Amino acid sequence: MGIKGQLPVIIILVLAVAVSNAIGADMNRERPAWMKGSVEKLEAELIQEYGKQQRERIETGLDQVSDFWHAGDGDAGEFEEFVMENFAGDRETLDAMFDRFENMLEKLDGYMNAVTLALRRQTDLDLGPVYPFDEIFAGYDASAHITDDFFGNKLAFIVLLNFPLTTLEERLEEGKQWSRRQWAEARLAQRFSKRIPAEVNLEISRAEAESDQYIADYNIWMHHLLDRDGGRMFPAGMRLLSHWNLRDEIKANYENGQDGLAKQRMIQKVMERIITQTIPEVVVNNAYVDWDPFTNKVTKSDVNDSGSSPPREMTVSNAPEPDTRYRILRNCFLASRMADPFSPTAPSLIARRFDEHREIPEDRVREILVQVVSSKVVGKIAKIIEKRLDRPLEPFDIWYNGFRTTGDFDEEELNRIVSGKYPTADAYWKDIPALLMKLGFSKERAASLAGSIVVEAARGSGHAWGGEMRNQKARLRTRVGKGGVDYKGFNIAVHEMGHNVEQVI
């Protein structure tokens, strides 16, 4: 890997050191010497003013503000003045504060979401070439400074002074009895449970955007995979994204007998080449070469199913892709780790994923997984699958899908039907009310939901992007090929609704 490939890593490491030295150490500091006396003084004054029934709220608020107060936020006098001015000691003031924050943050999140969609438009949607400056736009997080600013102007401290932070354990146990308002207050406070510097947020956003772009362009042109006899197993024009589309193609071939098995084994080999980074660089997203994944031989193709002209100059070899995949993974790891010192209650990305994003304890997930894989039922199911397939199980059979109900169409027919019905993303959007009605929605409800959705042609396999404020439409992104909407992208969208494609076409 040359200096160009190393540069992002160097930048991240330099930033990590700078952040750790300049700010990270401050997060592990002891509270200022004056803090204890100020807190005791404020607690007494607030209880005297608002009554002993407010003691728990006052103690919680003071403790939370103290945990996040930096030396740069003010001295003892400024701290005390802030608390006395901003503690909401009566219901009317607290309700007004809650309503204002709810309204303002919804607007802020909504417009920031719109800005993010605009910045990522060229990289997320199938709109032509992606230039280096497009990637810079996509990696920029316009909201990165908001948390910094909210602590700087004390709005975050106002929330922490008046609304309680909660642990995952409290939300799981006590949340069952909480009102909608209590949950909203918990979510409001949770927003300021970390004080991550803007430069860290920006670096995380940049690393994630680079990762998204890399994956969105990682396609395999399946018609150009050759078996040992030089034969082509897959139809012309089939372009599958790693690894979702490749996985779905494995699933689709269980009813195709020996031909399907041969395809599945070839896809497994493709996946192995990707993971071991022995995949030839020239075959990634390239319809102008043929590749035998088993021998790793690459040749110039005499078949053009891409609809475009091959480049004038193209080096055809089996030279492996550089370790780009793992460089990007490492960059994401390094960038995410920069946030660890500023997240004391969830001091790693894994902890944040379990405790804050998924909100299910890691121990519980481990317990569930152990119960599943150690169950005696697993062996029984494996024997049933082997009997159905009339062969020993192979690694890709983890995706066996023969237990779900299937329709009367094979994938080739489904591709023909879907692309015929939806030649464009707009045609797909116009049919959403009819699709929803087939799934049981009333005509009025179907029309209302469809009016809140925008369908767009995705650069990758497709994804959904929700709105962040009232009246902001959700984005449904699906791959649209030259022949129309891609069946696999359509399949993903339908499965998100818990149904099979056959039920809605």
Side-chain angles (χ1 to χ4, degrees):
M1 189 187 302
I3 187 66
K4 183 178 179 181
Q6 293 282 4
L7 193 56
V9 179
I10 294 171
I11 293 172
I12 291 174
L13 289 173
V14 170
L15 276 172
V17 172
V19 169
S20 177
N21 290 339
I23 308 173
D26 191 49
M27 289 298 293
N28 297 319
R29 78 206 186 294
E30 295 182 359
R31 292 179 180 180
W34 52 261
M35 182 66 76
K36 185 175 183 296
S38 289
V39 167
E40 291 174 352
K41 173 186 173 184
L42 289 165
E43 183 179 328
E45 291 179 2
L46 289 171
I47 290 174
Q48 182 177 0
E49 183 171 351
Y50 296 108
K52 292 182 179 180
Q53 70 275 13
Q54 296 274 26
R55 178 185 293 277
E56 186 176 349
R57 279 193 64 232
I58 291 168
E59 291 177 347
T60 298
L62 287 171
D63 191 53
Q64 291 177 174
V65 172
S66 300
D67 281 341
F68 287 90
W69 193 274
H70 290 174
D73 295 319
D75 58 19
E78 291 170 297
F79 175 77
E80 293 171 12
E81 181 181 0
F82 164 80
V83 169
M84 293 305 296
E85 284 185 353
N86 290 285
F87 181 75
D90 59 83
R91 175 53 59 178
E92 182 180 354
T93 306
L94 189 65
D95 287 347
M97 180 182 294
F98 176 82
D99 290 342
R100 301 283 203 286
F101 271 94
E102 180 183 42
N103 182 267
M104 295 301 180
L105 291 177
E106 179 188 350
K107 295 294 189 298
L108 185 64
D109 290 343
Y111 288 118
M112 282 296 138
N113 185 50
V115 170
T116 300
L117 284 165
L119 292 170
R120 294 175 59 105
R121 178 175 171 78
Q122 190 66 30
T123 57
D124 283 355
L125 303 184
D126 192 8
L127 299 173
V130 174
Y131 296 105
F133 55 82
D134 292 317
E135 296 179 359
I136 295 173
F137 274 124
Y140 174 63
D141 182 2
S143 66
H145 289 268
I146 289 177
T147 299
D148 254 8
D149 291 342
F150 271 45
F151 275 101
N153 63 21
K154 304 297 192 294
L155 283 171
F157 286 118
I158 292 173
V159 170
L160 293 171
L161 180 62
N162 290 283
F163 301 101
L165 289 170
T166 56
T167 64
L168 175 60
E169 183 179 4
E170 287 172 333
R171 293 192 293 275
L172 290 174
E173 293 299 322
E174 301 171 18
K176 301 171 186 176
Q177 286 78 45
W178 287 355
S179 65
R180 184 178 180 87
R181 168 64 180 265
Q182 284 175 295
W183 268 108
E185 290 185 359
R187 294 306 188 201
L188 174 58
Q190 195 175 357
R191 183 182 183 115
F192 303 105
S193 61
K194 295 183 291 295
R195 192 174 182 177
I196 299 176
E199 56 265 39
V200 173
N201 286 326
L202 282 168
E203 189 53 42
I204 292 172
S205 178
R206 190 209 62 77
E208 290 177 347
E210 182 188 18
S211 174
D212 290 344
Q213 181 58 41
Y214 175 76
I215 292 299
D217 286 333
Y218 208 103
N219 294 284
I220 304 297
W221 287 82
M222 304 302 286
H223 190 56
H224 295 270
L225 299 180
L226 304 181
D227 61 21
R228 289 184 172 87
D229 298 322
R232 302 179 190 275
M233 297 184 185
F234 298 92
M238 178 179 280
R239 182 174 60 123
L240 301 184
L241 191 73
S242 170
H243 282 308
W244 301 284
N245 289 165
L246 292 172
R247 173 205 63 194
D248 291 343
E249 183 65 16
I250 286 176
K251 291 181 179 181
N253 276 286
Y254 275 106
E255 297 183 9
N256 294 335
Q258 288 301 309
D259 288 343
L261 179 59
K263 290 180 179 180
Q264 290 170 325
R265 287 171 174 166
M266 178 172 279
I267 293 172
Q268 177 184 325
K269 192 61 184 179
V270 170
M271 288 181 163
E272 288 176 359
R273 293 286 186 190
I274 294 171
I275 296 302
T276 60
Q277 289 288 270
T278 55
I279 182 173
E281 183 176 20
V282 72
V283 308
V284 178
N285 206 21
N286 190 347
Y288 310 115
V289 295
D290 293 332
W291 174 40
D292 178 346
F294 296 95
T295 65
N296 223 20
K297 182 180 179 181
V298 182
T299 55
K300 188 174 181 179
S301 182
D302 57 2
V303 174
N304 186 347
D305 58 341
S306 69
S308 58
S309 301
R312 292 182 179 180
E313 296 182 5
M314 180 177 62
T315 301
V316 179
S317 77
N318 69 345
E321 179 193 16
D323 291 334
T324 308
R325 175 175 296 264
Y326 295 101
R327 175 182 64 79
I328 289 175
L329 281 171
R330 184 167 182 260
N331 283 358
C332 289
F333 162 72
L334 291 172
S336 296
R337 193 167 66 171
M338 291 168 65
D340 294 354
F342 310 101
S343 181
T345 59
S348 71
L349 179 61
I350 292 175
R352 292 190 286 278
R353 285 289 183 263
F354 282 108
D355 295 349
E356 298 174 356
H357 297 168
R358 303 302 182 189
E359 293 194 297
I360 177 170
E362 182 179 355
D363 289 344
R364 177 58 181 147
V365 175
R366 185 183 295 109
E367 179 185 346
I368 292 171
L369 289 174
V370 170
Q371 288 176 349
V372 170
V373 300
S374 62
S375 171
K376 294 179 180 179
V377 177
V378 173
K380 294 178 181 179
I381 292 174
K383 292 185 181 300
I384 293 173
I385 297 173
E386 282 187 335
K387 185 176 181 181
R388 289 187 177 187
L389 297 176
D390 194 27
R391 62 170 173 79
L393 296 183
E394 300 191 32
F396 53 79
D397 290 321
I398 192 173
W399 289 313
Y400 176 77
N401 65 346
F403 293 112
R404 68 179 181 86
T405 52
T406 58
D408 299 326
F409 308 107
D410 60 23
E411 184 170 352
E412 186 175 347
E413 181 67 6
L414 286 170
N415 264 321
R416 187 190 65 78
I417 294 172
V418 171
S419 61
K421 284 174 68 73
Y422 310 121
T424 64
D426 189 57
Y428 181 6
W429 173 76
K430 289 179 179 177
D431 199 41
I432 285 179
L435 296 176
L436 292 172
M437 289 171 65
K438 287 181 180 180
L439 295 176
F441 290 89
S442 68
K443 182 177 180 180
E444 294 75 17
R445 183 61 174 158
S448 174
L449 288 172
S452 299
I453 298 172
V454 175
V455 178
E456 297 170 317
R459 186 174 297 277
S461 63
H463 61 271
W465 193 301
E468 294 285 343
M469 65 178 176
R470 279 174 275 263
N471 301 320
Q472 191 171 57
K473 295 185 178 182
R475 261 70 179 173
L476 179 60
R477 274 82 180 266
T478 186
R479 174 170 283 181
V480 182
K482 295 186 182 301
V485 170
D486 181 89
Y487 155 67
K488 285 185 170 61
F490 180 76
N491 188 30
I492 290 171
V494 173
H495 274 277
E496 287 294 319
M497 295 185 285
H499 294 271
N500 294 327
V501 171
E502 293 88 341
Q503 292 177 271
V504 297
I505 62 171

